[in-house]
Amino acid sequence: MAGSVSVRESMVVKPASETPRQSLWMSNLDMISSNSHTPSVYIYKPKDSFFDPRVLKDALGKALVPFYPLAGRLRRNNDDKNGRLEINCNAEGVLFVVADSSSSAHDYADLKTCLESGRWLIPAVDYSAGISSFPLLVVQVTYLKCGGVALGIGVEHSTADGFAALHFIKAWSDMARGVDLAIPPIIDRTLLRARDPPQPLPNHNHHVEYHLPQAAVASDSDHETATVSVFKFTRDQVNILKAMSLTTKKNDDDVENGKYSSYEVVAAHVWKSACKARQLAYDEETQFNIAVNGRPRLQPPLPAGYFGNVIFSCVPSALAGDLMSKPISYAASCIHKALVRMDDEYLRSALDYLDLQQSHHHLSSLARSAHYYKSPNLGITSWVTLPIYDADFGCGRPVFMGRAGLSLEGKAYMVPSASSDGSFSLAISLQSRHMDSFSNISVRESTIVKPAEETPRQLLWMSNLDMTSINAHTPTVYIYKPKDGADNFFDLSVLKDALRKALVPFYPLAGRLQRNNDDKNGRIEINCNAEGVLFVVADSTSCADDFTDLKTCLKLGKCLIPAVDYSTGISSYPLFVVQVTYLKCGGVALGIGFEHNTADGFAALDFVKAWSEMARGVDLAIPPTLDRTLLRARDPPQPLPNNNHHVEYRSQAPVTKPAAVASDPGDDTATVSVFNFTREHINLLKAKCLPEKDADNGDNSSVKYTSYEVFAAHVWRSACKARQLADDEVSHLRTATNGRSRLQPPLPPRYFGNVIFSCVVTARAGDLLSKPLSYAVSCIHKALLRMDDEYLRSALDYLELQKSQTHLSSLTRGSSYYKSPNLGITSWVTLPIYDADFGWGRPVFMGRAGLSLEGKAYTVPSASGDGSFSLAISLQSRHMDSFSKLIYDI
């Protein structure tokens, strides 16, 4: 995620010379446009003599002379009974902000990040003081740490649509380069005045697009959480959709040569997919909202420089059952017919129809709002043909341009790539429960794979560490790019044969959990019955690039892993589930779920590596060690006597809210964010806590802190500050510690089970925040230093004694262990997560799918091997904005 933004300067820029002072009449299309600023962001890579604020301001002042309405303010006409909007061209000016950010151009140069964090790059507008109080154009020039620039622009939508806004921005950028205005703006909006008298088409079904929407169908839909995802499409993928939509009927829908446009086939595919994902009833009507530029459709066409709103709504409708059951050509034909209807006669009728509505209600009530798009409806606005990359201010074209924010459920945008290769991205907002399905994973095959030969049938004892692990499958996803010349890329027979072979030495994975009836607490054990593992084959319309970032994997990765039904008891489900998903680009997603009582991350990765080696024909060099009695407690148990030992396994008291934070029923909603860090970030943190003298060491030797210790300390402090914890509040930081090398003698290198101990560091929030970073680091360092053989053996003994009082599964680290004021950070940075080469190369990405516990965090290394990594963390939504700024304050 992007870092902090600090404002350096904020001022008003006015036209460079005198402009007409007048009231500008606004059309009916202006009236029904949203009364808010459309936010867009341009990203520029660094260049010499880069983005001089004086040049930008001078050029802006000049551009505001021909585009003088932008320097005015909205107001209501008191002579109109409905208080019709008009522009008061009073030259009050536009807002121009200069800011600095700790982020780089790379942090913002993708649509997903821009939608989530781009608002920080655009000045906030206060609408509370009325429509005459705010400027119609706001601009923010943000200088990034890498030397690049983010240009954030907000244009008030009732003043100008996207075509008009881009015309202005192009004129401004031309003037910054000393180029004269090529196309002057046409300010007169009476060109779109309704006819007198109005003559709308007589059919009642015409102009349904401007009917006030009915209430939402589902009573709970207003409370559904929406999520935004971005999907990338290439020219080849669009051509595939066109081929699927081909019609041979010459008279079919008047489609020229039996072909539909790129927009029509993509929109049809998205509409059809959304209906399926939403599980709409077959008899439910769904409307599809399309923004149509009327400039070339009106006759005669409007002048090229018309400055205002000329976006008409086109609304094809269909029954969901028809869209889902019929081929894609049906949906494409519905869209095509509706667009063909949008001729001069229809558009003039729409203007007249809107004019007649003024006697019933204010036209602003017909602005496109949530109910127009929310389920069962949908809307897609295409920017694909817009000249969004033409804003060259003398320092080159932008490397990225995109919208900042997407709040309406059911709304989508298509944004072209800067590469001009015909690719584009689709950003869409859907209810969270529908988004996984929307990514369109279709299962081709689901089978059980069993060991290739007979394996021991036995009951396998499980250690106390196995007992305290969560009874769920840890979900991980590997992404592989297609390999040139590989005819058998991820051949299913190769994968299944290798899996069967791997399950022979790792035979407990092919078993099932069960409870020991002879144990009063029903201790869990593995029934090694060779029932097998679940192997699923699926296809997806997504590409490898859609999943190769941790944020997307956390949100959507679960659809790449087989779902496990836990409702019928622990003996009913496999301990290992895998899904091979073939992606549209030719790549593969390998989704794996490992039951956590059975194995920790180290053991799971060891199995995946062994499976991948067998797929390459490499024999298993070292067999796994399956005997878990190596972690049996001593007899009798001998835990350390201090009462403060092993607080990590004590049940947590209910967590109270900080006194400084007001109670709010919506406070506890958690959100997940991802932050990227480089080796340089870690070095900066280490420089802040240079080695200090160890007071406990007689020779005054220096203490050197690890990368994990300094980074975990920084995250811990940032979380405490973001949560606004009281100074006297105690915060626990939980660290997952691998005991394999800490126990003496060390466990065998291929020990297969759980050897993760909890290390708990405790401090008061006031001490963490008031003292230097080195204080938090030293707390973590001392706690980890304590995790030696004596302490770990004591922990096993302590857990053994707890069996008489409680079931060990009650000590599983649930939400109360991590939620505010506590925190947990698990590091995958040193794990060999990219070693799973099945014969077609290493994965280009590996990450966890899903992160549900508030206060839980993971660090995941980059596949590049350059020392960079990502932090994924779940915090309460009200704390995340502050945390996102603090985490980059290094």
Side-chain angles (χ1 to χ4, degrees):
M1 178 181 277
S4 60
V5 174
S6 58
V7 173
R8 187 198 306 176
E9 174 189 355
S10 182
M11 63 176 296
V12 170
V13 174
K14 298 185 178 184
S17 58
E18 190 66 25
T19 56
R21 304 299 175 100
Q22 64 185 58
S23 294
L24 186 64
W25 182 85
M26 300 176 75
S27 76
N28 292 337
L29 294 179
D30 296 325
M31 294 298 100
I32 61 170
S33 297
S34 173
N35 185 216
S36 60
H37 290 68
T38 301
S40 56
V41 173
Y42 297 77
I43 301 296
Y44 296 84
K45 289 290 182 71
K47 189 177 180 181
D48 294 338
S49 303
F50 197 57
F51 270 83
D52 187 322
R54 292 170 300 178
V55 173
L56 294 175
K57 283 188 264 190
D58 288 347
L60 181 56
K62 292 175 183 175
L64 288 173
V65 176
F67 289 87
Y68 62 87
L70 272 182
R73 297 294 184 268
L74 295 179
R75 70 179 176 191
R76 297 200 180 279
N77 185 335
N78 293 329
D79 295 332
D80 183 272
K81 67 176 183 178
N82 286 319
R84 187 182 182 95
L85 285 181
E86 59 186 15
I87 300 178
N88 179 13
C89 300
N90 56 10
E92 283 195 15
V94 302
L95 179 62
F96 188 94
V97 174
V98 180
D100 299 285
S101 173
S102 59
S103 299
S104 298
H106 177 74
D107 295 328
Y108 288 107
D110 71 271
L111 187 56
K112 179 70 174 172
T113 305
C114 187
L115 287 164
E116 292 175 344
S117 305
R119 290 276 186 179
W120 296 344
L121 302 173
I122 301 168
V125 178
D126 180 6
Y127 298 100
S128 63
I131 61 170
S132 299
S133 63
F134 51 78
L136 305 182
L137 171 70
V138 296
V139 174
Q140 182 173 309
V141 182
T142 304
Y143 293 89
L144 307 173
K145 183 167 59 176
C146 65
V149 160
L151 180 65
I153 295 175
V155 179
E156 205 282 329
H157 204 332
S158 59
T159 306
D161 61 17
F163 292 86
L166 288 170
H167 179 201
F168 167 76
I169 294 167
K170 174 79 163 54
W172 174 25
S173 67
D174 286 348
M175 291 181 181
R177 300 198 318 272
V179 177
D180 293 334
L181 183 62
I183 303 174
I186 304 300
I187 305 299
D188 179 16
R189 304 190 181 205
T190 62
L191 294 172
L192 290 183
R193 195 185 289 276
R195 291 171 291 200
D196 187 11
Q199 304 165 42
L201 293 168
N203 191 321
H204 180 70
N205 289 326
H206 287 305
H207 309 306
V208 65
E209 64 267 27
Y210 298 116
H211 291 180
L212 286 170
Q214 298 178 352
V217 175
S219 59
D220 63 345
S221 61
D222 284 333
H223 306 291
E224 292 282 356
T225 302
T227 187
V228 176
S229 292
V230 175
F231 303 90
K232 296 174 182 176
F233 290 81
T234 64
R235 179 181 282 128
D236 290 340
Q237 289 169 332
V238 175
N239 288 336
I240 291 172
L241 290 174
K242 284 185 175 182
M244 293 169 62
S245 306
L246 279 176
T247 174
T248 57
K249 296 179 182 179
K250 194 65 179 176
N251 60 348
D252 185 14
D253 312 327
D254 297 322
V255 181
E256 185 179 357
N257 298 323
K259 296 179 180 179
Y260 296 106
S261 70
S262 296
Y263 176 84
E264 288 166 350
V265 297
V266 171
H269 175 62
V270 174
W271 194 11
K272 187 180 174 85
S273 300
C275 288
K276 286 183 179 179
R278 288 163 160 174
Q279 297 179 318
L280 299 183
Y282 266 47
D283 60 352
E284 186 157 20
E285 184 181 52
T286 170
Q287 295 182 336
F288 189 84
N289 290 268
I290 306 172
V292 177
N293 177 24
R295 287 167 173 82
R297 293 174 181 261
L298 289 163
Q299 295 303 319
L302 288 182
Y306 180 90
F307 188 74
N309 284 278
V310 201
I311 299 299
F312 291 83
S313 287
C314 175
V315 183
S317 61
L319 293 179
D322 289 337
L323 291 170
M324 292 186 285
S325 63
K326 295 181 179 181
I328 190 175
S329 58
Y330 172 76
S333 72
C334 292
I335 295 170
H336 178 80
K337 288 177 181 177
L339 287 171
V340 167
R341 189 180 60 202
M342 304 292 285
D343 57 10
D344 178 74
E345 180 185 20
Y346 191 88
L347 301 189
R348 292 291 176 189
S349 172
L351 293 171
D352 293 352
Y353 176 85
L354 290 172
D355 211 54
L356 291 175
Q357 303 312 301
Q358 293 184 94
S359 61
H360 305 299
H361 37 244
H362 198 287
L363 287 182
S364 62
S365 66
L366 301 182
R368 302 278 105 184
S369 57
H371 287 296
Y372 284 90
Y373 303 109
K374 68 192 304 184
S375 184
N377 302 326
L378 197 71
I380 301 182
T381 298
S382 175
W383 289 7
V384 170
T385 60
L386 298 183
I388 64 175
Y389 296 105
D390 284 357
D392 180 357
F393 289 83
C395 309
R397 289 159 58 91
V399 296
F400 170 82
M401 187 275 193
R403 182 183 171 89
L406 180 54
S407 59
L408 296 181
E409 193 272 328
K411 192 76 175 75
Y413 286 86
M414 292 163 56
V415 182
S417 163
S419 64
S420 301
D421 60 358
S423 65
F424 63 91
S425 295
L426 172 79
I428 187 168
S429 174
L430 291 176
Q431 292 173 15
S432 300
R433 62 195 173 100
H434 298 150
M435 189 60 86
D436 283 356
S437 178
F438 179 79
S439 61
N440 204 9
I441 307 295
S442 57
V443 173
R444 187 198 307 175
E445 171 191 339
S446 183
T447 60
I448 293 293
V449 173
K450 298 185 178 184
E453 58 190 64
E454 191 67 26
T455 55
R457 303 299 175 99
Q458 65 184 57
L459 298 177
L460 188 64
W461 181 86
M462 300 178 77
S463 76
N464 292 336
L465 292 180
D466 296 323
M467 296 298 100
T468 59
S469 296
I470 187 171
N471 181 218
H473 290 69
T474 302
T476 54
V477 173
Y478 297 77
I479 301 295
Y480 297 83
K481 289 283 184 77
K483 189 173 182 180
D484 293 338
D487 294 333
N488 66 335
F489 186 64
F490 271 81
D491 185 284
L492 289 175
S493 60
V494 172
L495 293 173
K496 288 181 185 176
D497 287 347
L499 182 55
R500 291 187 187 98
K501 292 176 183 176
L503 287 174
V504 175
F506 289 89
Y507 62 86
L509 264 187
R512 296 294 185 266
L513 296 179
Q514 69 176 34
R515 295 198 181 278
N516 186 332
N517 293 329
D518 296 331
D519 184 273
K520 68 176 182 177
N521 287 317
R523 187 182 182 96
I524 292 177
E525 57 192 8
I526 300 178
N527 178 12
C528 300
N529 57 12
E531 284 194 14
V533 302
L534 179 62
F535 189 98
V536 174
V537 182
D539 297 284
S540 173
T541 58
S542 299
C543 289
D545 287 340
D546 294 331
F547 294 104
T548 51
D549 69 90
L550 188 56
K551 177 75 174 177
T552 304
C553 188
L554 287 164
K555 183 176 289 187
L556 299 178
K558 289 249 179 154
C559 64
L560 299 172
I561 302 168
V564 178
D565 181 6
Y566 299 99
S567 64
T568 53
I570 63 172
S571 300
S572 65
Y573 50 78
L575 305 181
F576 178 77
V577 296
V578 60
Q579 180 173 310
V580 182
T581 303
Y582 292 91
L583 306 172
K584 187 189 291 187
C585 63
V588 161
L590 183 68
I592 291 174
F594 238 101
E595 207 286 327
H596 208 331
N597 289 126
T598 308
D600 60 19
F602 291 86
L605 288 169
D606 188 35
F607 170 76
V608 174
K609 187 169 190 295
W611 174 26
S612 69
E613 287 176 341
M614 289 183 180
R616 301 199 316 270
V618 178
D619 292 332
L620 189 64
I622 304 174
T625 298
L626 304 179
D627 178 15
R628 305 190 181 206
T629 62
L630 294 172
L631 290 182
R632 194 185 290 278
R634 293 170 290 200
D635 189 13
Q638 305 166 42
L640 292 168
N642 190 322
N643 189 48
N644 289 328
H645 287 308
H646 308 307
V647 64
E648 64 267 27
Y649 296 114
R650 293 178 190 170
S651 296
Q652 298 292 289
V655 178
T656 57
K657 292 179 184 289
V661 179
S663 178
D664 180 345
D667 274 352
D668 293 333
T669 303
T671 187
V672 176
S673 291
V674 175
F675 305 90
N676 299 317
F677 295 88
T678 64
R679 182 178 281 126
E680 287 70 25
H681 285 116
I682 298 302
N683 290 338
L684 287 172
L685 288 173
K686 284 185 174 181
K688 281 189 168 185
C689 41
L690 291 171
E692 58 184 31
K693 297 298 183 181
D694 189 348
D696 299 325
N697 215 331
D699 61 1
N700 286 329
S701 61
S702 293
V703 177
K704 291 186 178 180
Y705 299 125
T706 66
S707 296
Y708 175 83
E709 289 166 350
V710 296
F711 185 70
H714 176 60
V715 174
W716 192 14
R717 294 175 85 230
S718 298
C720 287
K721 193 167 185 178
R723 288 163 160 174
Q724 298 177 314
L725 300 183
D727 283 354
D728 60 349
E729 186 142 25
V730 174
S731 176
H732 298 299
L733 173 69
R734 292 183 174 270
T735 299
T737 305
N738 180 20
R740 286 169 172 78
S741 60
R742 293 174 183 262
L743 290 163
Q744 295 301 322
L747 290 180
R750 273 203 143 140
Y751 178 89
F752 190 73
N754 285 278
V755 201
I756 299 299
F757 292 82
S758 280
C759 176
V760 175
V761 194
T762 303
R764 295 190 181 277
D767 290 336
L768 290 170
L769 297 179
S770 63
K771 295 181 179 181
L773 176 65
S774 58
Y775 171 76
V777 178
S778 68
C779 291
I780 297 170
H781 177 80
K782 290 174 183 175
L784 288 171
L785 205 60
R786 187 182 61 202
M787 304 290 286
D788 56 9
D789 179 72
E790 180 184 20
Y791 191 88
L792 301 189
R793 293 290 177 190
S794 171
L796 293 171
D797 293 351
Y798 176 85
L799 290 173
E800 185 72 13
L801 293 176
Q802 305 312 301
K803 290 185 342 185
S804 61
Q805 303 166 27
T806 181
H807 196 289
L808 287 182
S809 63
S810 66
L811 301 182
T812 298
R813 285 162 294 288
S815 60
S816 62
Y817 283 85
Y818 301 111
K819 70 192 301 186
S820 183
N822 302 326
L823 197 69
I825 305 177
T826 298
S827 175
W828 289 7
V829 169
T830 58
L831 297 184
I833 65 175
Y834 297 105
D835 283 358
D837 180 357
F838 289 84
W840 302 284
R842 288 158 59 91
V844 296
F845 171 82
M846 187 274 195
R848 181 182 172 91
L851 180 55
S852 58
L853 297 181
E854 192 273 326
K856 192 77 176 72
Y858 287 84
T859 57
V860 181
S862 164
S864 65
D866 61 358
S868 63
F869 64 93
S870 296
L871 169 76
I873 187 168
S874 175
L875 292 176
Q876 291 175 18
S877 301
R878 61 195 172 96
H879 299 148
M880 189 60 85
D881 278 353
S882 177
F883 180 84
S884 62
K885 299 180 179 70
L886 294 165
I887 194 65
Y888 283 118
D889 185 12
I890 295 176

